Amino acid sequence: MAEYRKYKCKTCGHIYDEAVGDPRQGIAPGTRWEDVPEDWGCPKCGSVKAMFTLMKS
């Protein structure tokens, strides 16, 4: 199984970690980035999913 990745919001720096998900917004731990709904928004600043970039490991 592939390692979990992290994505960083270009607006506020919030990090979406696939291993953690975003349970407060209904995104279960282990949810891959491609499976996060397109209408999901950054929990810190509300930026759209397109404003996140993959972090290098």
Side-chain angles (χ1 to χ4, degrees), residues 3-6 54-57:
E3 289 184 29
Y4 288 117
R5 298 165 294 183
K6 294 179 181 180
L54 176 63
M55 295 176 68
K56 306 259 189 226
S57 52

Side-chain angles (χ1 to χ4, degrees), residues 23-45:
R24 287 186 174 182
Q25 293 193 64
I27 309 297
T31 301
R32 298 291 182 180
W33 185 245
E34 54 271 12
D35 296 326
V36 173
E38 290 301 318
D39 64 353
W40 176 83
C42 176
K44 270 191 170 175
C45 72

Side-chain angles (χ1 to χ4, degrees), residues 2 5 10 13 28 48 51:
R5 298 165 294 183
K10 291 189 256 183
V48 295
M51 291 300 293

